[in-house]
Amino acid sequence: MIDDKALVKKVLDGDVQAFRLLINRHQRLVFHMISRLVKNTGEQEELCQDVFLKVHDKLGEFGFQSRLSTWIATIAYRHAINHMRKQRILFTEYPDDDRELAAFVEHVTPESIASEKDMDEYVLKLIERLPPHYKTVLTLFHVEEMSYPEICEITGMPEGTVKNYLFRARNLLKEKVKSYLSKEKAI
């Protein structure tokens, strides 16, 4: 497996296959960054492509002061934030009602309560309903397994804010899951 420095050098030398490899390695990360902030699927795809074009254009400026994945995630995060600003979408905007969630809970049967798949699906739906900044921090920490300093670099948030958002996001999820489980016991 080729390391990041060699990969970057090959891309800068014009190796198209190396750029494809770079995209393959980081497409999931870029998609997570974009999709946590932008809900429209068509826009998500376009923004992901834009991110990789920016990565290609700016790769010569990357000096390995951080990991390549951190640098790419920073570009994706900022690109999504800029898109939201242009669309006049508030960063703190998120649905207040739980109609979609309630519709999901209605289809759950007592037999499926024990199913991990249903619980996983429910938790994923809960995560999607979190405010964008909570979702972003939660995804970077738990899914992408990034450290606090890396998350700070990507989001531009102070470490205390990152920890606070992570704490709040976990508590929101915990309360919703408790509520879900107590409703299921009543069935």
Side-chain angles (χ1 to χ4, degrees):
M1 183 178 214
I2 188 169
D3 75 333
D4 285 344
K5 284 187 181 187
L7 182 62
V8 167
K9 183 179 178 347
K10 284 185 173 201
V11 172
L12 292 174
D13 289 341
D15 186 336
V16 176
Q17 285 301 104
F19 187 58
R20 282 192 187 117
L21 178 59
L22 183 139
I23 291 171
N24 287 337
R25 279 189 188 173
H26 301 285
Q27 66 186 356
R28 190 189 87 181
L29 170 65
V30 169
F31 179 75
H32 278 154
M33 295 305 302
I34 299 293
S35 67
R36 295 299 177 241
L37 299 170
V38 177
K39 291 291 138 225
N40 182 302
T41 307
E43 289 176 353
Q44 289 171 353
E45 291 174 17
E46 186 177 327
L47 291 170
C48 288
Q49 291 173 2
D50 291 346
V51 166
F52 283 111
L53 289 174
K54 275 188 177 185
V55 165
H56 189 272
D57 290 345
K58 302 286 184 184
L59 200 55
E61 299 171 20
F62 178 60
F64 286 95
Q65 300 87 350
S66 63
R67 291 186 334 182
L68 181 60
S69 60
T70 303
W71 182 73
I72 291 172
T74 303
I75 292 171
Y77 177 78
R78 291 183 180 155
H79 193 63
I81 294 295
N82 288 337
H83 173 77
M84 290 173 67
R85 285 186 183 132
K86 285 179 189 171
Q87 300 297 317
R88 300 192 193 299
I89 300 169
L90 296 175
F91 189 56
T92 57
E93 210 173 85
Y94 65 101
D96 229 4
D97 65 60
D98 283 336
R99 282 178 281 179
E100 183 184 319
L101 218 46
F104 170 76
V105 171
E106 281 178 21
H107 93 275
V108 178
T109 63
E111 296 82 36
S112 69
I113 294 171
S115 169
E116 267 187 56
K117 184 179 178 242
D118 276 349
M119 182 53 85
D120 289 347
E121 189 177 334
Y122 182 73
V123 171
L124 289 174
K125 285 188 182 287
L126 289 176
I127 290 170
E128 283 306 311
R129 303 201 44 82
L130 289 173
H133 48 284
Y134 288 2
K135 235 186 323 192
T136 299
V137 170
L138 197 67
T139 300
L140 288 172
F141 190 80
H142 289 290
V143 177
E144 298 300 330
E145 299 178 348
M146 292 192 169
S147 66
Y148 290 125
E150 288 174 315
I151 296 170
C152 294
E153 184 177 335
I154 291 166
T155 63
M157 296 177 198
E159 189 170 321
T161 302
V162 169
K163 288 178 179 179
N164 186 318
Y165 285 173
L166 194 55
F167 176 79
R168 288 181 183 180
R170 287 174 182 151
N171 277 344
L172 282 170
L173 288 175
K174 186 171 112 181
E175 291 306 312
K176 290 286 189 177
V177 169
K178 276 184 185 177
S179 170
Y180 172 76
L181 291 175
S182 67
K183 285 178 187 174
E184 293 307 313
K185 286 179 184 176
I187 292 178

